[in-house]
Amino acid sequence: MIDRLLQHLQPLGRVAVAYSGGVDSTLVLKAALDALGAENVIALLAVSPSLPQSEKDEAVALAQQLGARLELLPTAEVNDPAYQANAPNRCYFCKDHVYRALRQFAEQNGIDHVLDGMNAEDTLDVRPGRAAARELQILSPLHDLGFSKQDVRHFARALGLPNWDKPAAACLASRVPYGTSVTPKLLSQIERAEAALFDLGFRELRVRHHGDVARLEVPEADLLRALQQREAITTALRATGYTYITLDLAGLRSGSMNEVLKARSA
C-alpha cells in the first residue's frame, strides 16, 4: 500500500504539503520526500492563535528531523467575522484562509500541487472545510488511495516516524460551542487549560469551553485517574479562568461539539 502511495506521488514533480505535525500529514510529507526528493518538497505550516504553541514546536522539530524544508505561514482566520461567529460551517472559513495562503505560496514558488493529510475516514464526521479544499484543488492522496487511520499509523510506524501513535489533534476552536464567538483571548484560555492538564500527566484530552464551565474529556481509561486528581485539575483549570470544572463521563471523542448538530437533524 505504501508503494502505491509513492507511485501516486511520483508524477507530481514538485509539491507543497499542508503540514501540521500530526501523523497523517507527516506520513504524506515522508512519502513525498521519498518519492520526489527533498529538493522537490516543501512543508507548509499554517500558524495562528488556533494552533497551540506546543503543537507548533513539535511540528517544527519533526520536520527538521525528516530533513524537510519548512515554511511557517501566518494565517488570519481569527480576524474574519465569519470565522469568529462560529457557525457550524466555521471550519470552511478557517480552511479557506489556510488553503488560500498555502496555495498562494505554492504558486509564487512555481509549485502546482498542494497536498493535505485527509484520510479515508475523515469524511465520516462533519467537515465543512473539505469544500474549501475542493475549491482550491488541494489533493488528498491518503483519502484517494483508501488509507484508514489504522493504515496511516501502521505505515507511519513501519517508516520509523516518531509520531506514529500521536493522539489525534484538532484546532483549539473545536473546543468552543457553535454560536459562541471565537477570539484569540478565548483560544489562549483553552490552550493554557489543556497545557496545565498535560503537565499533570494526561496525554489525550480536550477542554471544551462552556463560558465559566470547563468540560473535560479524557479517554475512558483515564476517567478514574481524573477523579483521583480532581483537586489538582480543579486548581489548574480555575487558574486559567474557569469557575466550574466538570468531567464528561462519556469520555473523549472526536468532534463532540458536533453532537448537537446530529441531534437536531435526527
Side-chain angles (χ1 to χ4, degrees):
M1 199 170 189
I2 197 67
D3 289 337
R4 288 177 57 213
L5 177 58
L6 296 177
Q7 293 169 5
H8 184 79
L9 296 175
Q10 284 169 352
L12 299 181
R14 299 180 66 217
V15 302
V17 177
Y19 170 70
S20 67
V23 62
D24 301 285
S25 64
T26 303
L27 178 61
V28 173
L29 177 59
K30 170 62 174 172
L33 291 168
D34 290 348
L36 303 170
E39 68 278 8
N40 292 315
V41 179
I42 183 168
L44 302 179
L45 177 62
V47 178
S48 79
S50 66
L51 176 69
Q53 182 66 41
S54 60
E55 292 287 324
K56 173 186 171 183
D57 292 343
E58 289 178 13
V60 170
L62 181 53
Q64 292 174 342
Q65 183 177 338
L66 293 177
R69 177 187 168 193
L70 174 67
E71 291 286 340
L72 306 183
L73 299 184
T75 57
E77 67 272 10
V78 296
N79 298 324
D80 184 344
Y83 173 90
Q84 293 175 358
N86 198 20
N89 64 343
R90 179 203 69 243
C91 188
Y92 170 82
F93 300 105
C94 175
K95 293 300 186 184
D96 184 63
H97 279 272
V98 169
Y99 286 140
R100 283 188 187 279
L102 271 56
R103 172 61 71 190
Q104 181 179 35
F105 179 94
E107 291 177 352
Q108 290 173 344
N109 288 272
I111 299 172
D112 292 331
H113 304 290
V114 179
L115 317 178
D116 72 7
M118 184 181 78
N119 65 59
E121 296 180 9
D122 283 338
T123 55
L124 301 180
D125 194 12
V126 179
R127 292 185 182 270
R130 295 314 307 163
R134 289 191 297 270
E135 290 169 6
L136 291 162
Q137 298 181 311
I138 307 300
L139 304 181
S140 303
L142 299 180
H143 176 271
D144 294 344
L145 295 176
F147 277 70
S148 67
K149 190 69 176 185
Q150 183 177 356
D151 293 330
V152 170
R153 293 195 185 280
H154 170 77
F155 289 111
R157 186 177 188 181
L159 291 173
L161 299 181
N163 65 343
W164 69 270
D165 63 343
K166 181 179 179 178
C171 76
L172 292 170
S174 67
R175 280 58 154 179
V176 184
Y178 294 119
T180 298
S181 181
V182 176
T183 65
K185 180 179 179 181
L186 177 54
L187 295 175
S188 175
Q189 180 183 11
I190 296 168
E191 179 179 3
R192 288 182 285 109
E194 293 192 349
L197 295 179
F198 288 134
D199 289 343
L200 290 176
F202 291 91
R203 184 165 183 253
E204 295 185 69
L205 61 95
R206 299 284 189 275
V207 173
R208 308 293 188 184
H209 176 93
H210 299 274
D212 291 335
V213 178
R215 175 169 58 87
L216 173 60
E217 293 181 14
V218 296
E220 290 185 28
D222 285 341
L223 287 174
L224 179 58
R225 182 158 70 95
L227 287 172
Q228 292 170 338
Q229 294 183 248
R230 62 186 182 275
E231 292 185 5
I233 290 172
T234 299
T235 298
L237 294 191
R238 282 181 174 169
T240 65
Y242 290 105
T243 303
Y244 306 103
I245 317 301
T246 68
L247 178 63
D248 192 322
L249 298 183
L252 176 64
R253 61 258 187 226
S254 177
S256 73
M257 288 303 195
N258 293 327
E259 291 171 2
V260 64
L261 303 179
K262 297 172 183 177
R264 290 172 186 169
S265 62

